[in-house]
Amino acid sequence: MNSTESPSKSIRIDRPFPLPAYVKEALQKLDDEGHVAYVVGGGVRDFLLNRESKDYDIATSALPEELCRLYLNAVTVGKAFGVIKVPIQASSLCLEIATFRQDLEYQDHRHPQRVVFSKPGEDARRRDFTINALFYDPKTSIILDFTGGFDDLCQGVIRAIGHPSDRFREDALRLLRAVRFKVRLGFVIEQQTLEAIRLRARLITKISSERIRDELNLMWTGPKPDEAVQLLSELGLLTFVLPEVEAIRKMDQNVLGKPIEMTWVHLLRTLRFLSQQDFLRTSLLFWVAILHEVGKPIVSKLNEGKNLNGHELEGAKIAYKIAFRLKMTREECQKIAVMIGDHLKFKDVFQMRESTLQRFIRQDHFEELLAFHKADALATDGNLAYYEFCSARLESIKKAPPMDFYRLVDGRDLIQMGLHPGPEFSEILRVIEDLALEKVLTTKDDALEYVVKHFVR
């Protein structure tokens, strides 16, 4: 018998399950109405692993119409599938409550065409992995296990329920979820499940860009983003979700006599060092790390493997297209591109003009760029001289006046001096600001005198 089709197990839990108040209230309301209601999925899994969780779902015998009657404020976009989302007061979160069901034919490798409302056992067997199909009964403190998930959880195994290939064909997003759970939990993927991922990898192209992006974001901000990228590549998924990154691993030319595989190793090392920093772990920062080498395959080919000059500028353009493809906001696309385009400027900081250095360090995203540079440097040769210099300058600049303080003149001043608006205005204002940053000019009178002397004819 397949382990995922084993008879139901009941495991008594001898410690309290610290559920949030809004989950307890929902369970109690359903119980008061005479319905069976269990906590299911990630919240149960994380509780058994002694991990903090914000992911609580409820599965119940209550039919969709009854749920809508009980929760008049519910979001009912999934009502046809027996799913409602109940807004949590004073929060942006929602509690998902779903009727026990069986999913029938799938139409788009993501959503079932129709469902049949059923019992807990059938509901468990429609889910993705055994460790996510455990039910917790708050009335008895018993875990109900219909698929062998408890044993898999104890042994650290990710196993698809039933026939793995069928599970991935039904919902191709599960291909990425398997990788995420493996990396986040430190588990191993069961062999048949692993082989099915390789076999069905191409199906990920059936999933929307937004869904792919969200899964990748969770991987990048997990404990081991480097392992996630490596595993995505080994399973053939990276070819379909980020082919530009997979191209780095497949570069077959030598550059300046160095094995090109070093670029791939460097990418993974950069991610590892970035994840180890005590810094705000934004997914955007990890996108910069993951995409900062994407220009190298193109530049290497154009230069016949002789050098990689300009790869950061090419990479910035490619990264923008990738971010846009993944439906990131325009601001996010631009930020990722700018940071990748700027990431090699650190090697010039000792030679930069003071005003250029200050402008570089005063960028809104500089602290994130600095964190990335530290990881990049550690992954290269360990030289942190540029990092330490810029860190010290950043601290001093934080105590200095804001940029507005150095804008000693504006366009109205130039017009009053008889100058005509045009492209030259920006050049003049930039020059004055540079000199103010360098403390050559310190007052408005100094600035006006300089303009008269150098620009008024």
Side-chain angles (χ1 to χ4, degrees), residues 309-378:
N309 295 340
H311 79 268
E312 74 281 9
L313 302 179
E314 186 66 31
K317 292 188 286 186
I318 297 171
Y320 186 97
K321 292 177 182 177
I322 294 171
F324 185 80
R325 183 177 76 220
L326 293 172
K327 301 295 194 297
M328 296 189 202
T329 66
R330 188 173 298 277
E331 181 183 359
E332 289 170 333
C333 294
Q334 290 174 339
K335 187 173 180 180
I336 290 171
V338 168
M339 291 176 72
I340 289 175
D342 281 352
H343 83 275
L344 292 185
K345 289 183 178 179
F346 284 92
K347 63 182 175 55
D348 300 322
V349 292
F350 293 150
Q351 290 78 40
M352 281 182 182
R353 181 178 168 180
E354 176 62 22
S355 56
T356 304
L357 177 63
Q358 287 214 36
R359 288 183 189 281
F360 180 52
I361 294 177
R362 285 175 179 271
Q363 295 179 92
D364 290 339
H365 58 261
F366 185 75
E367 288 191 74
E368 290 175 278
L369 184 60
L370 188 62
F372 165 69
H373 167 70
K374 181 179 182 180
D376 191 25
L378 288 170

Side-chain angles (χ1 to χ4, degrees), residues 207-241:
I207 299 299
S208 71
S209 298
E210 297 93 329
R211 291 282 189 174
I212 291 173
R213 176 202 64 211
D214 291 345
E215 279 297 322
L216 294 178
N217 282 344
L218 291 170
M219 291 185 210
W220 303 164
T221 54
K224 296 181 178 179
D226 55 312
E227 288 188 14
V229 173
Q230 181 72 39
L231 186 57
L232 287 170
S233 178
E234 291 173 358
L235 294 176
L237 289 164
L238 199 62
T239 296
F240 299 109
V241 296

Side-chain angles (χ1 to χ4, degrees), residues 15-61:
R15 60 188 174 94
F17 193 152
L19 294 169
Y22 66 87
V23 178
K24 292 180 180 178
E25 289 170 7
L27 290 165
Q28 188 62 55
K29 178 181 281 194
L30 290 164
D31 183 59
D32 290 344
E33 292 290 325
H35 301 297
V36 175
Y38 302 139
V39 182
V40 64
V44 180
R45 178 198 68 225
D46 291 341
F47 164 67
L48 293 173
L49 292 173
N50 292 309
R51 293 169 60 94
E52 183 179 355
S53 180
K54 296 179 182 178
D55 179 21
Y56 297 100
D57 295 332
I58 292 176
T60 179
S61 61

